[in-house]
Amino acid sequence: MKKKQMIFLEESVRAEVIIHIGTMFIDGAVSSEVRDALEFDWENIFTAIGCDQPEHEDEDFIVDYFRNEVKKQGFLVRFSTPIPKDISRHGYSISWGSYMNKWIYADTYQEACNNALVWRGDYIKQAKLAAGIDA
C-alpha cells in the first residue's frame, strides 16, 4: 500500500512554521521559533486553536497554559499563499513577493494541509468576487 503524501507543488501554498503542540510544550524550554510565533501572532494563534487567550504572556505561564488548559496535542501550522494580482476571467498572476498567512490547527499534519488547501481555495474565490469575477 502506497503512503499518501501531501505535495503543494501546484497549489501555491507553503507551510512556513510548524508547531507540534504535543511535543513543543512539554517543558519550560520552548524554541525561539515558537516564542517568536507567540510574540508576533498571539491573537491569530489562539483563534486558530479555538481557545481563549491566556491572561499573561509570560513564557512559563504559556507553557503551563498549553499543557494544562488548551488540552490539544496536534499541529499548529502557519501557511502562506501568494496574493493574486491582475485578476480577470482568464486567470490571475501571483508572486511569492506578495503573500498572506493563516494559522491553522489540526490534530494531524495531513489534516492541517488539507485545511490549508480549502483556505487557499476560499481565499482565491473571495479575491475573484472582489474583482467582479464569478468564482
Side-chain angles (χ1 to χ4, degrees):
M1 183 163 100
K2 286 187 175 183
K3 189 174 184 179
K4 186 177 176 183
Q5 273 187 323
M6 175 50 60
I7 300 176
F8 288 141
L9 292 176
E10 296 182 16
E11 301 297 337
S12 298
V13 173
R14 64 184 179 200
E16 295 199 337
V17 177
I18 302 169
I19 299 172
H20 181 245
I21 294 173
T23 57
M24 297 182 89
F25 288 93
I26 289 175
D27 57 24
V30 297
S31 70
S32 60
E33 291 81 9
V34 172
R35 213 173 305 115
D36 289 347
L38 288 168
E39 181 179 342
F40 295 111
D41 249 348
W42 182 262
E43 186 174 322
N44 293 325
I45 285 173
F46 287 97
T47 298
I49 295 171
C51 66
D52 294 330
Q53 296 178 36
E55 295 175 13
H56 306 286
E57 294 184 30
D58 174 73
E59 183 177 322
D60 291 333
F61 184 83
I62 299 290
V63 170
D64 289 340
Y65 184 77
F66 268 96
R67 194 172 37 230
N68 301 322
E69 301 296 326
V70 173
K71 298 185 184 196
K72 294 192 179 190
Q73 301 292 306
F75 290 85
L76 181 60
V77 185
R78 187 179 75 200
F79 289 98
S80 297
T81 192
I83 296 171
K85 307 263 190 231
D86 304 319
I87 300 171
S88 73
R89 60 186 168 102
H90 303 291
Y92 54 88
S93 63
I94 58 172
S95 165
W96 281 103
S98 177
Y99 61 94
M100 66 171 302
N101 301 309
K102 178 166 180 73
W103 284 99
I104 294 176
Y105 172 82
D107 291 329
T108 67
Y109 184 68
Q110 182 68 51
E111 183 184 353
C113 291
N114 292 342
N115 291 343
L117 293 175
V118 171
W119 160 69
R120 181 184 182 281
D122 290 345
Y123 175 69
I124 296 298
K125 285 179 190 174
Q126 291 300 317
K128 286 179 177 180
L129 289 173
I133 307 297
D134 288 332

